[in-house]
Structures are given as C-alpha cells and as structure tokens.
Amino acid sequence: MESILKLDMRLFYSEEIFDINDCSVNDTGVLIRLKSKKHECECPDCHQISNHYHGTYERSVQDLPILGKNTSVIITAHEYECQNAECPTKTIVERYDHFLGYYGRFTERCEDFIATLALETSCEGASRICRYLGIQVSGDTIIRILKKRFAQMGIEAAGSCIGIDDFSTKKGSTYCTVICNTDSHKPIAVLEGRDGSSLKEWLKKNKQVKMVTRDRASAYAKVIMEELPNTMQIADRFHLHQNLLEIIKKCISSSLPQTLRVESNLDREKTGDITEKSRQPSVGSDNSKKNPIQCG
C-alpha cells in the first residue's frame, strides 16, 4: 500500500484537466478522486462554447490496475447550459477526449487493453484474465465495447481486388460473409448469410472489382459470374492445397487396398511356407556342441 501512495499520480492524470483531490488504498483496490479544472464546454449539437455553469455531478469509472489492484476513479465534473436559444440541447456535460468517452465506464486506455486482450483471446477468456489482473468486466460488456469500436471505425473503400469467405457466429447455425481488401488485408464489409444473396447486392454497388479470391463455395462463384462476368476468380492457396490433398487421397485409395497385411514367421509356418533351410540349425548352435569331432 505504501508503494502505491508513493507514486506520483500526476504522471497518470493530466494536470491541465484534473486536480487530484484524494488517493486512498485498501485491501480491495485503489480509489482516486479527481476534480475537473475546465471552465467551459462545447455543445455537441450547435458547437457553441458555453461557460454558463449549471451544476456538478460525479462519474465513477475504472482505470488500468495499479500494482494488481482494481483502480476506481471518481471524477467531479461540471454541467453547463447551452446559451444558444435555437439549440434543442439545454444542458451539456464535459467531455474528456482521449481519456474518457461520453458514456464510458472505463478510461480509454483501459478499454484499449480490454479490446486488445479480447481480440487475441476471446471475450469470456479476456473477462477471466481481467478479473485476475484487477479489472471487473464481464464478457457481455467486452462484446459491447468491441461493437462500439467497430461502429466508430471508418469504412474502407473496396479496391479492384477483394477476398471473400464465410465464417460462423454460431457454429452449425448462423453464418456470415466477410469481404476483405487484399491490398491492406483488412475487412471492408460483413454480410449476413452465405447463400450469396447479400453478396449479390454488395457487388451491384461495387462494379470496380476486377479480381476476387474465394473458397470453393458454388454460391459465391455463381453470384460473381452473374454480376461481374469479366471478373477473374481465384481459388485461395488454402483451398488449392485442400484440392491437391483430396486428389492424392483418391489416387492412393484406388491403387492400394484398404488394409495391408504383413505376415510373420508364425503365419508362414501355419501355411507351410517355411523352407527346410530355415528349419536347419545355424552354425554355432547348441547341436554342434552335443556332437564334438573325434580326433584319432
């Protein structure tokens, strides 16, 4: 506990935005109280700057753990009144860009860590690891964080070469189609189903595609041929290897019997295939010792 209290918290929280009122440590975690130093706020609707103070409120969020302890941050923030009479927004609250989202329950650096861990493992696995490290978060909350970040991502334009494949959100039940940019190796669209109907609508809006790498699904091949007949279709390397292995298996199965039997000496004795030569004793055997040579 003493080692945590000796840390300079000003290194973790900007002095330009916050005053550190208190820092306490107990067996369960670390509690840090911050107070906003801002005196004005921008309206998110009309973008007019307001400094007309309305009130204060407290926000409780989680930050990255300190020395393995859960870290809670309570921020005393300000509310302002929008002074634009034509604006529908009456009261506005402070925003802390690059530190805390508008409705966030985690600091942005904590969300970055959770999202990275979830992408490398899984949502439930990341939840268990976070609890061990000192971050209280459920698998469902991690899913919502990832969905929010995906919605905020800019949509990359499709180039002339794309890759198409299907994936399962629920194995054996629910499937989707993912389209990737082969130049950047990043997904550019996620479509419902894998029967080709959603892909057909997408291709109608992206006539610039000249080359498509895909798996062996006939539904994809048919849709691409109908919508973009001049587009080159390429089977990806994985499925080329898979095709080659299947052909090799068929050739081996047609040339060799299903079972191969290796006979032993016992089997050959039963069938009478053991020759007399194999039955004669070898030189130096015990029979040679029983009949020694007599010298005159």
Side-chain angles (χ1 to χ4, degrees), residues 192-249:
E192 294 184 0
R194 59 173 180 175
D195 58 354
S197 58
S198 57
L199 176 61
K200 187 173 184 177
E201 296 299 322
W202 189 88
L203 291 175
K204 288 180 180 179
K205 302 175 183 178
N206 294 272
K207 296 293 186 179
Q208 77 280 4
V209 175
K210 302 298 181 184
M211 190 180 301
V212 178
T213 62
R214 59 170 180 80
D215 61 8
R216 298 178 298 171
S218 58
Y220 293 154
K222 182 180 178 181
V223 168
I224 296 170
M225 183 60 68
E226 290 176 355
E227 294 298 325
L228 303 174
N230 297 325
T231 297
M232 180 185 296
Q233 298 189 42
I234 304 170
D236 56 46
R237 183 166 51 187
F238 169 79
H239 291 93
L240 289 176
H241 289 170
Q242 199 172 37
N243 291 343
L244 177 61
L245 289 175
E246 287 185 0
I247 294 173
I248 292 174
K249 288 179 181 178

Side-chain angles (χ1 to χ4, degrees), residues 15 23 37 53 56 65 72 100-101 107 114 120 124 130 139 151 171 177-179 198 211 244 275 283 289:
E15 290 184 279
C23 178
K37 296 172 67 174
Y53 179 75
T56 60
S72 298
L100 183 62
T107 60
I114 294 171
E120 293 296 331
E124 290 298 331
C130 284
K171 191 172 183 180
T177 298
V178 61
I179 302 175
S198 57
M211 190 180 301
L244 177 61
T275 61
V283 178
K289 295 179 180 180

Side-chain angles (χ1 to χ4, degrees), residues 41-60:
C41 187
E42 180 183 353
C43 178
D45 291 331
C46 66
H47 303 287
Q48 182 173 326
I49 303 298
S50 174
N51 58 5
H52 195 275
Y53 179 75
H54 178 73
T56 60
Y57 70 102
E58 287 189 346
R59 292 186 64 178
S60 179

